[in-house]
Amino acid sequence: MKLNKVYTPGLVAFVLIISMYSCKPKNAGSAVSGDAASKTYVAPGKYDEFYNFVSGGFSGQLAVYGLPSGRLLRVIPVFSVDPEKGYGYSEETKPMLNTSHGPVPWDDLHHVEMSQTNGEIDGRWVFVNGNNTPRVARIDLTTFRTAEILELPNSAGNHSSPFITENTEYVIAGTRFSVPPDDKNGDVPINSYRKNFKGTISFISVDKNTGSMDIAFQLQTPGINFDLSHAGKGKSHGWFFFSCYNTEQANTLLEVNASKRDKDFVMAVNWKMAEQLIKDGKGRKQAVKYASNHYDEKTHTATSVIKNEVQVLDVKDFPGLVYFIPCPKSPHGCDVDPTGEYIVGSGKLAALIPVFSFDKIQKAIADKAFEGEYSGIPVIKYEAALHGEVKKPGLGPLHTEFDERGNAYTSMFVSSEVVKWRLSDLKVLDRVPTYYSVGHLMIPGGDTKKPNGKYLVAYNKITKDRFLPTGPELSQSAQLYDISGDKMQLLLDYPTIGEPHYAQAVLADVIRDKSVKFFKIEENNNQYVSKGEGATKVTRDGKRVDVYLTMIRSHLTPDNIEGIKIGDEVYFHATNLEQDWDVPHGFAIKAANTAELLVMPGETTTLKWVPDEVGIFPMYCTDFCSALHQEMSGYVRVSPAGSSVPLTFSTGTNMPKDDSTFSNKITSGK
Ligand code: RUQ
Ligand code: CUA
């Protein structure tokens, strides 16, 4: 950035303010060295080495990038409606966004966890969290579509979520906001937090074959804020670790009141014990309401069921289930290294990074090396659990990922850098700037037993001067680093969709060949399918009209419909008859109060339309599917409510019989 030579007081103040919010690294211009371009160049026609799944934050979506190119491959709507794909707009997908509060078409998606087998990413599903109206979703990686959304009762602010065990036994979800449990009267003074508010950790079971989720049980904890989490692995398999803040139990001005204590906690949960307690019938049955929504690829239809019971274990009633470990200053990330021995707590306000040892935690428990209790839960002595501290790592540590060479990489939000350090002796080995204010980091497999330490991606909250300006809001970004050598090397900047939080990546080979190419029309069990043009029809039942419509290059069947009347509710059930890869057809009709449908080959999708005016309404295919795509269209005639125009429908037969009435024939010049 070139600074004006004339220093006005205003400019000085401006520069000062900017530098307070983030420290700009000094060598911004020279950060990229010569061979970076060739390392990220993926030649035309070649594939990327990795799939990268990146949370979209407040966009409610999940973005799929290729690495190392940084090319955006797809945006998957999860907790959002998406007019591009018709998700949340088609009748079939609307139930996906249902909750116990009715339809909630948005959420705040922060964390991404891919399913694992033996501690390695297996490429079957991606789990993501909805923060606001607590939900966890599962995306199926054969279709790259949202297959399931499960609501979480007794919860608010589902931030510490979803984190997964090494064989996908459980996906867990911890509350950021403690609140009164759903079965208690919640009409209490806010400042009765310490008495009435509780935290909840949900253990979500995952069916090994189908991926289907349900709430296995919940832990009720003292009312504090859970920020993040990770499962133990290897030797610590069977345990979960959560970063906790607001152990002050403040209910107002948290930036001050929840930053008072020198140390908050990492909470260690023995989930194998919890599982056993549930098996032994120790769970308390609690009446609740939560939605369980599934998308079925045989019917191409979602269903939403409201469930009404969970089993709860109150952690203070079961000694040995839960321990607190003091952790400096409002820890954010809580990350477990590939061996399962080291647990890294990143205190947002701490000037060091504490690294805990699983072996030492076990010994401390055996020796009862406790410094006291918090809400009836033993607090292990800090020193007894500590492997050591990373000294002077930088400012504002947030998140840590690992490579397979015994190194850890921590994001420093305030000092805008990635810091590489060694797990064994906690020595800082290298640091590189990020542009700017880095949040999460990602190394492919970097939170599993099998990291692939070739690349690291930093997800930045602020881009300031990195890209062309785009009005008041500037893009957020990802930055790709080569971490294969001793020194980290910045390779690439690219903008992201929404605000990226956590992300994961896996070698493309793990997923690529499982991709569904099209749906078999003979297996389509949608109740409104038309398996061929001969099966198309228009039926009326009172004011409800069902249009069974097919699409194939390059016409709609039927494409002329008459006899629709004001007051009707019309449902277009569009079946795409194509049986080939990448031939979706779209469907739209003038003045429909909804989005288009984008119908995949072999799929049936329904658009609801309530005509409000007499007239002719064109409908057409929205996806450029062939040279005659512009011809792929039709008309619907809408008549007044009492009209006697009969219900008719056809394709190709409704031209005027007598061509002599056609006055616009092009005649030759003579
Ligand atoms: S967060 S930038 Cu919502 Cu994972 Cu740390
Ligand atoms: Cu079908 Cu364009």
Side-chain angles (χ1 to χ4, degrees):
M1 198 205 310
K2 222 171 132 189
L3 277 184
N4 200 319
K5 279 267 164 62
V6 188
Y7 290 103
T8 63
L11 179 62
V12 172
F14 171 73
V15 170
L16 265 177
I17 287 170
I18 288 280
S19 50
M20 264 167 52
Y21 282 98
S22 70
C23 318
K24 179 171 169 171
K26 289 191 186 65
N27 55 344
S30 60
V32 177
S33 51
D35 59 340
S38 65
K39 288 189 179 171
T40 63
Y41 184 69
V42 177
K46 293 276 183 270
Y47 292 145
D48 275 291
E49 191 180 354
F50 294 92
Y51 279 107
N52 180 200
F53 298 88
V54 185
S55 59
F58 44 70
S59 80
Q61 299 163 329
L62 181 72
V64 187
Y65 292 85
L67 293 179
S69 73
R71 297 187 292 203
L72 177 63
L73 302 174
R74 189 163 187 81
V75 176
I76 302 171
V78 184
F79 305 112
S80 68
V81 290
D82 183 356
E84 178 195 341
K85 302 175 184 72
Y87 178 81
Y89 289 104
S90 71
E91 294 307 299
E92 283 81 0
T93 53
K94 279 178 183 172
M96 289 303 283
L97 296 165
N98 193 39
T99 73
S100 64
H101 308 278
V104 179
W106 170 85
D107 221 301
D108 187 13
L109 189 163
H110 281 213
H111 302 124
V112 176
E113 280 270 292
M114 300 179 73
S115 53
Q116 296 183 16
T117 302
N118 299 325
E120 272 186 78
I121 294 174
D122 60 21
R124 304 178 75 189
W125 308 299
V126 180
F127 298 89
V128 296
N129 67 325
N131 253 307
N132 183 52
T133 304
R135 286 173 278 182
V136 167
R138 178 174 56 88
I139 290 99
D140 187 320
L141 290 180
T142 64
T143 58
F144 285 65
R145 303 211 276 201
T146 304
E148 185 175 2
I149 294 182
L150 180 70
E151 190 185 1
L152 303 170
N154 289 323
S155 300
N158 176 40
H159 190 264
S160 186
S161 161
F163 294 94
I164 207 166
T165 52
E166 63 184 30
N167 282 300
T168 316
E169 293 95 338
Y170 294 105
V171 169
I172 62 88
T175 48
R176 168 176 168 204
F177 300 114
S178 285
V179 286
D182 292 359
D183 62 340
K184 295 274 152 43
N185 178 11
D187 180 16
V188 295
I190 295 170
N191 68 9
S192 70
Y193 181 115
R194 289 170 182 170
K195 180 164 162 243
N196 291 317
F197 291 28
K198 296 286 174 210
T200 295
I201 310 283
S202 303
F203 280 76
I204 299 165
S205 58
V206 180
D207 184 278
K208 282 214 166 357
N209 300 313
T210 63
S212 184
M213 303 185 284
D214 204 356
I215 299 173
F217 56 90
Q218 294 186 318
L219 305 183
Q220 190 175 96
T221 73
I224 49 177
N225 292 32
F226 295 108
D227 208 1
L228 284 149
S229 174
H230 264 101
K233 48 175 92 82
K235 60 161 71 169
S236 54
H237 179 63
W239 288 76
F240 248 109
F241 304 94
F242 295 83
S243 53
C244 316
Y245 67 108
N246 193 21
T247 54
E248 295 85 350
Q249 300 190 309
N251 56 275
T252 184
L253 199 63
L254 263 64
E255 67 170 316
V256 176
N257 293 329
S259 305
K260 291 198 163 145
R261 289 167 62 120
D262 193 43
K263 292 198 174 64
D264 291 279
F265 296 131
V266 162
M267 184 172 86
V269 175
N270 182 342
W271 64 258
K272 288 266 180 184
M273 176 175 170
E275 195 175 51
Q276 192 58 46
L277 288 167
I278 290 294
K279 270 195 202 128
D280 296 345
K282 295 284 160 48
R284 166 170 60 84
K285 294 204 162 68
Q286 187 198 323
V288 287
K289 265 170 71 181
Y290 65 98
S292 166
N293 310 331
H294 284 83
Y295 190 80
D296 177 344
E297 287 294 7
K298 291 278 182 259
T299 59
H300 306 294
T301 304
T303 46
S304 175
V305 176
I306 299 290
K307 299 194 167 179
N308 44 35
E309 192 180 87
V310 283
Q311 294 205 65
V312 180
L313 295 170
D314 190 339
V315 299
K316 70 171 176 350
D317 296 342
F318 302 100
L321 185 54
V322 163
Y323 298 91
F324 285 127
I325 304 159
C327 185
K329 289 259 141 205
S330 305
H332 188 59
C334 185
D335 300 292
V336 180
D337 89 303
T339 68
E341 165 64 3
Y342 299 117
I343 300 112
V344 181
S346 298
K348 303 187 287 272
L349 307 174
L352 50 82
I353 303 171
V355 181
F356 301 103
S357 148
F358 180 71
D359 289 343
K360 287 193 172 178
I361 292 170
Q362 294 309 303
K363 181 160 190 306
I365 291 170
D367 297 350
K368 297 203 162 42
F370 304 138
E371 63 175 47
E373 279 192 353
Y374 179 92
S375 257
I377 310 237
V379 180
I380 295 174
K381 283 189 182 139
Y382 179 66
E383 286 74 20
L386 193 69
H387 163 55
E389 294 169 340
V390 185
K391 305 279 196 226
K392 298 227 171 78
L395 299 175
L398 290 186
H399 296 283
T400 300
E401 291 260 299
F402 305 91
D403 67 18
E404 66 279 35
R405 302 177 290 270
N407 301 311
Y409 302 77
T410 301
S411 56
M412 299 291 164
F413 178 79
V414 178
S415 53
S416 284
E417 56 188 339
V418 177
V419 173
K420 174 182 176 183
W421 49 277
R422 193 158 44 213
L423 281 158
S424 56
D425 61 6
L426 307 173
K427 273 221 170 63
V428 172
L429 303 174
D430 190 24
R431 51 180 73 236
V432 281
T434 63
Y435 307 93
Y436 309 91
S437 302
V438 56
H440 275 273
L441 297 177
M442 190 285 303
I443 292 171
D447 77 340
T448 70
K449 277 174 152 174
K450 281 266 164 62
N452 185 329
K454 185 169 182 185
Y455 300 113
L456 174 147
V457 184
Y459 296 96
N460 300 315
K461 306 295 187 191
I462 296 173
T463 48
K464 237 162 38 187
D465 51 8
R466 298 298 282 184
F467 301 113
L468 286 171
T470 50
E473 196 199 3
L474 299 174
S475 167
Q476 311 195 38
S477 82
Q479 288 190 297
L480 180 75
Y481 297 82
D482 178 347
I483 57 164
S484 58
D486 287 345
K487 293 278 164 200
M488 296 179 275
Q489 182 196 10
L490 175 59
L491 300 178
L492 188 68
D493 269 22
Y494 50 98
T496 55
I497 299 277
E499 180 182 301
H501 293 257
Y502 193 39
Q504 289 203 330
V506 66
L507 281 170
D509 298 347
V510 176
I511 295 175
R512 195 180 56 217
D513 296 338
K514 298 179 191 161
S515 191
V516 166
K517 295 197 165 62
F518 58 86
F519 300 106
K520 294 200 180 98
I521 187 79
E522 62 275 14
E523 292 174 8
N524 179 328
N525 289 335
N526 186 294
Q527 60 174 317
Y528 301 110
V529 64
S530 312
K531 293 191 179 176
E533 293 180 358
T536 60
K537 60 187 174 184
V538 181
T539 61
R540 171 183 286 287
D541 179 7
K543 297 213 166 292
R544 179 180 168 119
V545 176
D546 287 282
V547 179
Y548 296 75
L549 177 143
T550 60
M551 306 193 285
I552 195 161
R553 282 163 288 180
S554 298
H555 57 274
L556 306 172
T557 305
D559 70 358
N560 278 207
I561 302 171
E562 301 195 4
I564 305 296
K565 293 181 239 174
I566 295 293
D568 286 349
E569 272 188 2
V570 184
Y571 293 85
F572 292 94
H573 309 292
T575 300
N576 180 345
L577 294 177
E578 307 281 353
Q579 291 289 273
D580 201 355
W581 197 12
D582 196 30
V583 197
H585 293 287
F587 180 81
I589 182 161
K590 184 185 170 186
N593 303 121
T594 185
E596 65 148 2
L597 306 174
L598 194 63
V599 191
M600 296 304 126
E603 184 181 39
T604 302
T605 304
T606 299
L607 182 144
K608 179 183 174 187
W609 177 57
V610 182
D612 67 330
E613 246 175 42
V614 168
I616 299 293
F617 289 78
M619 52 186 176
Y620 71 102
C621 169
T622 51
D623 186 323
F624 206 106
C625 51
S626 72
L628 295 173
H629 155 79
Q630 287 295 83
E631 282 69 15
M632 193 166 174
S633 62
Y635 295 98
V636 178
R637 173 182 172 187
V638 177
S639 305
S643 158
S644 56
V645 175
L647 191 62
T648 57
F649 55 93
S650 61
T651 293
T653 55
N654 194 30
M655 287 290 284
K657 304 274 170 320
D658 180 3
D659 218 28
S660 66
T661 62
F662 188 46
S663 55
N664 287 334
K665 280 177 200 150
I666 297 169
T667 48
S668 72
K670 293 198 176 154

